[in-house]
Amino acid sequence: MHRRKRQRSDGKVKITTLPASTTGSLSSIITTSIASSEPDRGDHRSGGGGGTGCSGSLADETSDGGPLEQKCVVGSGSIVGANGTGTDDGGAGDGGTGREHGHGTGILQEKWWYMTLQIAIPFFVAGVGTIGAGIILGHVENWKVFVHISELFILVPSLLGLKGNLDMCLASRLSTQANLGNMSGRREIFHMILGNIALVQVQATVASFIVSMFAVAVGAIINGTIIFDHVMLLTASAMFTATSSCFVLDFVLVAVILISSRTSMNPDNLATPLAASIGDVVSISLLAGMATLLFENIDTHLWVTFVMVAVYVFLLPFWMLLVYRNKYTRSVLSTGWVPVLSALFISGMGGLVLDKAVGIFNGFVVFQPIINGIGGNLVSVQASKISTMLHQSSIIGIIPPHAKIFELPWKALFHGVPYARTARILIAMSIPGQVLFIFVADYIHMSRSTIGVPFVLSYLFVSTLQIMLLLYIAHVIIHLMWKWKIDPDNSAIPYLTALGDLFGSSFLMLAFLFLRSIGHPYGEKSTETVDGFGLLSTPEMTTISGGTLTGLIHDGSGI
C-alpha cells in the first residue's frame, strides 16, 4: 500500500492513502500503526526528536516470518500526535470535521463525540425500521397465507438476513473506497456503482432461490409432505422480495455514501445501519403482500409464479455479464458466494427458532426483528470500520502491528485496541436504544404499555450479551480473513449478521422461557386463583363445563 504526502494550506501534512495492493515487494510497502484514543499496548514510543512521524519501530515486527521495513513520512509541517502523545481530545481537528491525526500516521481519527453523533442518528432511524418490521410481522402472522404456508416464517429471517448481507456488503465496499479517496471522478463512480448493483442482483436472485428451497425442504421434513403450488409461491415470493428490495435500497445507500463522503462525514458510520433497517420494513411488506396476492389467486393463476421465476432466471445472465465486465466487482463474482450462502443456512437456523417460537409465545414476532436488526446493525458498523482501518494501514495478508487476531474480550470490547472505542460506544448506545424500542413496539402492538421490570431486565441481558458476542467475533473473524487474504468487506458481514439472527432469536426465546418460568409471561395475564384453583389465562380460552371462563363470568355464573 503506497502513500503520498501533500502540503495542505494550513501547514499540516496530509497523507493520502491509496488502495491496498496485494502485489509488489514488501520493501515498497509502508505499514503504519493506527492510534486510537487509548494506546493499544501502552508501549507507544516517540519517533525521536524532530517529529519524524514514526510511532515506534517496526523493525522488530514480523509478519509471515519476515521483518517489515518501516518508512517514515517526514513532512515540513507538524502532524498531530507524531510524538506519540495523542489522546481523545488531543490535536486540532481536520477542518472542523471532528477527525484527528493518529500517532504518526496519515489516518484521520474521529473524535468520540463526532463518531457517536454520526452513529446515533442512523441507529435510531434504524430502530424505527426494526420496530416497523416487528409490528408488520406481528400483524401479518395471522394472515391466511401465513397460517396455511408456515414455511413463510422460515423465509423471514433468511430473507431479512440476505438483504442485510448483500446491502451491507455493498455499503462496506463503497465506504472503504470512499475513505481511500477512490470515489472522485464521475466515470469511476458510475462504473463502481453499476457493477455493485448488478452484483447484488446476481447474488439476490441465486440466494433467494436457494433460501426458498431450504424453506421447502425444512417444511417437508416437519410436515411430511410437499405441495407443489406452495413451492412455486414460496420461490416466486422470495425472488421478488430479495431482488426488488435490494434494487431500491442500493440506490438509497449509494446516495447516502456519496453525500456523506462529500460532507466530511464517515460513510462507515452511516451507511450500514440504514442498509439493514429500512430494508427490514420493505422486505417484510413485499413478502407479505406478494405472498398474499399469489395465494389468493393460486388456484386460477398459478402460471403467474412460473412467469415470475422465468423472468428472474432470464435476467440473471445479463446481470452476470455486467459484473464480469466491471473491474471493481469481477473478482467478487467468483469469491463472494461462500460467505453469502453459508450465512443463509445460519439464518435458516434462526428461522427454525422463529417458526417454533411463534406457536408458543405471544408477541415473540414483535421483538424478534428488533433484537436481530439492532445486533446486525451495530456489528456491521464495527466490521466496516475495522475493515477500512486494515485497508488504510496494511496490505491484505499482513496483520498490522497495532492489532492481533485473538485479543482478550476486555481489550477488544472496552480498552486495549484501536477499535475498542467504537465497541464501547456501540454497547453503550444499544442499552437505552433497546429500552426505547421495546417500549414503543409493545405500546403499538398491545395499544397500551404491558411490559414490566422482569421483561426489561431479561431482554436487556440477552440483547447486550448478543451484541458483545457479535463485536468480539467481528474482531476475530475480520483479522483472520485479512490474514488469509480474504477481503472482509465482501465476506465478514454476512457471517456476522447471520450469527446475529441466530443468537438474537435463540437468546430471545430463552428470555421468553425464563419469563414464563417466573410467572411473568409477555402478553399473558398473571395466574389467577378462583375457589382454590390456579388458572392461567392464555390467549386460548380455558374451557369449563362446556363454556368459557369469560362467558361464565359475563353471565354472572359461579364456578
Side-chain angles (χ1 to χ4, degrees):
M1 178 185 65
H2 300 277
R3 298 177 185 269
R4 62 172 181 264
K5 64 179 180 177
R6 68 172 183 264
Q7 185 75 23
R8 298 194 329 185
S9 58
D10 58 1
K12 294 185 176 67
V13 174
K14 181 177 181 180
I15 311 299
T16 304
T17 307
L18 298 179
S21 171
T22 56
T23 60
S25 62
L26 289 180
S27 62
S28 65
I29 299 165
I30 304 171
T31 304
T32 59
S33 177
I34 298 178
S36 65
S37 57
E38 65 276 353
D40 55 331
R41 298 283 181 271
D43 61 351
H44 282 291
R45 298 178 293 275
S46 111
T52 63
C54 301
S55 176
S57 173
L58 296 183
D60 297 329
E61 298 288 347
T62 59
S63 180
D64 293 334
L68 293 177
E69 176 183 347
Q70 180 193 21
K71 295 187 178 180
C72 304
V73 179
V74 183
S76 57
S78 62
I79 298 179
V80 178
N83 58 0
T85 60
T87 62
D88 268 346
D89 301 319
D94 183 37
T97 63
R99 298 184 183 187
E100 60 190 29
H101 292 286
H103 292 236
T105 73
I107 299 171
L108 300 178
Q109 296 295 305
E110 298 168 289
K111 293 181 181 294
W112 70 267
W113 59 266
Y114 194 72
M115 183 195 308
T116 302
L117 181 63
Q118 289 188 49
I119 296 175
I121 294 175
F123 170 73
F124 285 101
V125 173
V128 175
T130 55
I131 290 173
I135 298 301
I136 293 173
L137 189 58
H139 178 68
V140 304
E141 67 171 321
N142 296 319
W143 285 12
K144 186 180 297 185
V145 63
F146 281 85
V147 173
H148 285 80
I149 308 178
S150 61
E151 291 86 351
L152 284 170
F153 286 111
I154 301 175
L155 270 183
V156 169
S158 297
L159 281 181
L160 294 185
L162 171 64
K163 177 270 313 163
N165 293 341
L166 301 183
D167 287 336
M168 283 193 283
C169 281
L170 179 142
S172 183
R173 286 194 298 267
L174 294 183
S175 296
T176 296
Q177 294 300 320
N179 281 318
L180 292 175
N182 296 334
M183 296 185 68
S184 54
R186 292 184 179 180
R187 183 180 178 85
E188 293 300 309
I189 293 176
F190 174 78
H191 285 292
M192 195 178 299
I193 293 173
L194 179 63
N196 277 279
I197 290 178
L199 173 64
V200 171
Q201 288 298 301
V202 172
Q203 293 176 324
T205 302
V206 176
S208 60
F209 176 79
I210 295 175
V211 164
S212 61
M213 293 298 102
F214 174 79
V216 169
V218 172
I221 295 173
I222 295 176
N223 302 323
T225 182
I226 295 179
I227 302 176
F228 181 74
D229 293 0
H230 293 179
V231 173
M232 293 304 302
L233 183 146
L234 287 169
T235 305
S237 300
M239 296 179 77
F240 172 81
T241 301
T243 55
S244 300
S245 61
C246 286
F247 190 77
V248 173
L249 292 172
D250 287 349
F251 286 99
V252 176
L253 287 177
V254 168
V256 169
I257 292 171
L258 291 178
I259 292 173
S260 61
S261 63
R262 280 161 173 70
T263 54
S264 299
M265 292 187 291
N266 189 349
D268 280 327
N269 298 333
L270 301 172
T272 48
L274 292 177
S277 60
I278 302 175
D280 288 346
V281 175
V282 174
S283 297
I284 292 180
S285 301
L286 289 175
L287 177 64
M290 180 54 63
T292 299
L293 182 62
L294 293 176
F295 184 75
E296 290 176 350
N297 300 278
I298 196 169
D299 293 330
T300 57
H301 295 79
L302 182 62
W303 59 269
V304 174
T305 60
F306 289 93
V307 173
M308 292 177 64
V309 174
V311 168
Y312 291 120
V313 173
F314 176 76
L315 288 174
L316 186 59
F318 170 73
W319 294 121
M320 293 180 66
L321 184 62
L322 287 179
V323 175
Y324 183 75
R325 290 184 174 181
N326 192 292
K327 64 180 181 180
Y328 296 103
T329 55
R330 184 183 299 119
S331 61
V332 186
L333 185 62
S334 58
T335 61
W337 289 105
V338 173
V340 171
L341 298 181
S342 300
L344 288 181
F345 289 104
I346 298 175
S347 295
M349 298 300 105
L352 293 177
V353 176
L354 174 63
D355 186 46
K356 177 65 67 175
V358 163
I360 302 175
F361 302 111
N362 181 36
F364 186 89
V365 294
V366 175
F367 301 102
Q368 188 258 3
I370 296 176
I371 189 171
N372 289 3
I374 290 177
N377 293 347
L378 295 181
V379 75
S380 68
V381 172
Q382 181 76 330
S384 185
K385 293 178 77 68
I386 294 177
S387 179
T388 296
M389 284 187 180
L390 289 174
H391 277 283
Q392 289 176 326
S393 63
S394 184
I395 62 169
I396 194 164
I398 298 178
I399 301 296
H402 64 79
K404 290 196 307 183
I405 295 176
F406 296 100
E407 286 281 7
L408 294 175
W410 174 262
K411 288 186 176 181
L413 299 180
F414 296 102
H415 185 87
V417 297
Y419 327 113
R421 178 174 61 169
T422 306
R424 290 198 308 266
I425 292 173
L426 295 175
I427 294 171
M429 189 181 299
S430 70
I431 296 174
Q434 295 271 21
V435 173
L436 174 64
F437 298 152
I438 61 175
F439 269 101
V440 172
D442 170 66
Y443 187 85
I444 295 175
H445 178 64
M446 303 293 289
S447 299
R448 58 191 177 91
S449 182
T450 63
I451 58 179
V453 174
F455 182 90
V456 173
L457 294 180
S458 301
Y459 182 90
L460 279 182
F461 176 77
V462 296
S463 62
T464 305
L465 178 62
Q466 174 216 26
I467 291 171
M468 292 175 68
L469 275 174
L470 290 176
L471 291 174
Y472 183 73
I473 292 173
H475 176 93
V476 175
I477 196 173
I478 291 173
H479 287 88
L480 276 175
M481 288 180 175
W482 190 262
K483 180 71 174 179
W484 296 337
K485 299 185 178 181
I486 301 173
D487 191 346
D489 276 330
N490 300 325
S491 304
I493 287 179
Y495 289 113
L496 294 172
T497 54
L499 288 173
D501 292 342
L502 180 59
F503 290 162
S505 298
S506 302
F507 290 172
L508 185 62
M509 189 173 184
L510 292 176
F512 270 68
L513 284 170
F514 172 75
L515 289 169
R516 176 170 287 184
S517 69
I518 63 174
H520 290 83
Y522 175 79
E524 301 175 16
K525 295 181 181 179
S526 302
T527 303
E528 301 174 357
T529 303
V530 182
D531 288 349
F533 295 94
L535 301 174
L536 181 62
S537 178
T538 62
E540 296 79 12
M541 292 298 182
T542 304
T543 303
I544 302 180
S545 301
T548 63
L549 175 61
T550 55
L552 291 172
I553 295 174
H554 181 72
D555 294 335
S557 305
I559 300 178

